[in-house]
Amino acid sequence: MESIVKVLFSNGVLMIFLALMLGYLFGRISFGGLKFGTSGVLIVALIFGHFGMNVPGIVGSIGLVLFLGCVGLSAGPSFVSNLKANFWGFLGTSFAILLSAGLTVAMAVKFFAIPVDLALGIAAGALTCTASLAATVEITSSTVASVGYGLAYVFGIISIVMFVQIIPKFLKVNIKEENDKMIDPPLSERLSSLKDLKLIIVDGPGVFVIAFAIVIGVIIGSIKIPLGSGTFFSLGNAGGTIIAGIIVSAIGRIGKISLQPVKTTLMPVRDLGISLFLLQNGAKAGAGFVETISKYGIKLFVVGVIMSLVAIIAAYIVAKMVFKMPLFAALGATTGAMTSAPALNALISVSNDDRVAAFYAACQPVATVGLVILPQIMVSILG
């Protein structure tokens, strides 16, 4: 039996698709009316990772840009109008995340006696922000920060994925009525005029458009902006790709070549992308999950839970109650401020409306910039 297991785990292609298959099956199981959905892949990947499955990082990177590229292409038409209508709300929601993160990091250092670098790593994981982890490692030259990140990352994803499902059920909202409250802008004159042009469609399913958006997005994401003290900010592949998707869908064409996305293609590619991302990250975290708990104790997990919940609740309250965003808009802004692509995917499934992605796209870059700067501020205060 042991030899059979070894043979199975040595076949990377088999294990990847077996994990995807089982993850989707698990995601269909209802727990009191709540479902993990595609995040079920994360749970299965954690288990497989613990038993030795290794998924190359490139798989997760490809998955993330596929997901966010498709999200950007879907959200483009409503992005600009949402940004104009809710600019201060997006800024306030993102600031709520940053303030809560700073306070909980300070709490972890002062009350739980956790080193600053480890506390910042936990915060990066709890807020699912890899860019913040990279900034922490660069500033502190710490390896232990990555341990905190890996430990808190899983709950960071699960907590926000569950939150966007629980709130609509708890409030017993009418999905259609809530969707109708979101801005549905008229099609721009540019996009309207495309219907009268005889444009060249490179391929029927629209894979060309997705690939084009990703190429532009990776180029945008690779641009580094200096922040001082040897620290740089970049949107990375994730932030660059969602912005490129928005731009491409707004432009609609280059010369005679159509850049209009095909909605029937965007949905399955989007779901496959987020599944690959969760698979790779879950397997990576699962490899050292048990060992990390036994070495550092349960308090690291507790701190990560506190950081995630405080940040999520703070962002939602600011978006919904302070700036009076409609429910799904507030939840979309919250997922963006948490920089959580899996949560956005869950919210799209709950609302059955791609317009929520525009609210994610408006908050994600702002929150990312703040979370990259945050480690430098906290080290100077607490270090």
Side-chain angles (χ1 to χ4, degrees):
M1 181 66 181
E2 185 177 345
S3 60
I4 295 176
V5 172
K6 286 183 178 179
V7 170
L8 289 175
F9 271 81
S10 66
N11 190 321
V13 174
L14 172 63
M15 293 308 299
I16 285 174
F17 284 97
L18 178 62
L20 289 175
M21 181 188 77
L22 295 177
Y24 271 95
L25 287 173
F26 180 78
R28 288 283 300 168
I29 300 173
S30 177
F31 297 91
L34 298 175
K35 298 179 181 180
F36 279 90
T38 51
S39 292
V41 173
L42 177 68
I43 306 301
V44 173
L46 275 171
I47 298 171
F48 280 25
H50 174 68
F51 288 103
M53 184 179 80
N54 179 49
V55 180
I58 189 66
V59 172
S61 298
I62 289 173
L64 186 59
V65 295
L66 281 174
F67 171 73
L68 290 175
C70 291
V71 165
L73 289 167
S74 299
S78 59
F79 177 77
V80 175
S81 57
N82 281 330
L83 191 60
K84 289 179 179 178
N86 297 287
F87 175 78
W88 291 110
F90 295 141
L91 202 62
T93 303
S94 300
F95 182 75
I97 288 284
L98 300 175
L99 181 61
S100 64
L103 291 175
T104 50
V105 166
M107 174 208 69
V109 174
K110 298 297 183 182
F111 295 103
F112 288 88
I114 295 174
V116 176
D117 54 352
L118 181 55
L120 286 168
I122 295 172
L127 302 178
T128 68
C129 186
T130 308
S132 185
L133 173 65
T136 299
V137 172
E138 186 173 19
I139 293 167
T140 64
S141 300
S142 169
T143 55
V144 75
S146 298
V147 175
Y149 173 86
L151 184 63
Y153 181 81
V154 176
F155 185 80
I157 288 181
I158 293 174
S159 58
I160 183 64
V161 165
M162 292 293 101
F163 185 81
V164 298
Q165 297 183 70
I166 289 171
I167 291 299
K169 288 182 179 294
F170 177 76
L171 297 177
K172 298 179 180 179
V173 300
N174 182 297
I175 302 295
K176 185 179 183 305
E177 289 179 2
E178 289 299 328
N179 283 336
D180 289 342
K181 294 177 183 178
M182 288 190 290
I183 297 172
D184 191 9
L187 202 62
S188 69
E189 292 183 10
R190 179 180 178 82
L191 293 180
S192 297
S193 66
L194 295 182
K195 294 184 293 185
D196 301 324
L197 299 176
K198 293 182 179 180
L199 298 177
I200 299 170
I201 298 175
V202 176
D203 68 309
V207 175
F208 166 79
V209 177
I210 297 173
F212 180 81
I214 291 173
V215 168
I216 300 301
V218 171
I219 293 172
I220 292 173
S222 65
I223 299 172
K224 293 184 177 181
I225 302 171
L227 298 176
S229 301
T231 305
F232 293 86
F233 166 74
S234 66
L235 288 170
N237 291 342
T241 302
I242 192 170
I243 289 174
I246 290 169
I247 293 171
V248 168
S249 64
I251 291 173
R253 71 183 178 103
I254 290 182
K256 289 289 186 178
I257 299 177
S258 172
L259 295 179
Q260 298 174 78
V262 180
K263 288 189 175 181
T264 53
T265 300
L266 293 180
M267 289 183 64
V269 173
R270 183 191 73 202
D271 283 356
L272 176 61
I274 197 62
S275 297
L276 292 175
F277 173 72
L278 292 172
L279 175 69
Q280 189 269 323
N281 281 273
K284 183 179 179 181
F289 194 78
V290 175
E291 292 81 357
T292 303
I293 287 288
S294 61
K295 183 177 180 180
Y296 290 95
I298 196 67
K299 71 177 180 180
L300 297 187
F301 181 75
V302 172
V303 169
V305 169
I306 293 172
M307 287 180 174
S308 290
L309 294 180
V310 169
I312 292 167
I313 293 170
Y316 174 73
I317 288 175
V318 169
K320 184 72 175 72
M321 299 181 183
V322 177
F323 290 98
K324 308 299 182 183
M325 293 185 196
L327 176 64
F328 288 137
L331 289 174
T334 301
T335 63
M338 284 287 290
T339 69
S340 178
L344 172 60
N345 192 58
L347 181 58
I348 291 172
S349 298
V350 170
S351 65
N352 198 29
D353 195 318
D354 286 339
R355 286 177 297 176
V356 296
F359 296 89
Y360 170 97
C363 279
Q364 192 266 358
V366 178
T368 300
V369 171
L371 289 170
V372 167
I373 298 172
L374 184 67
Q376 189 170 357
I377 296 173
M378 297 310 296
V379 167
S380 64
I381 295 174
L382 301 171

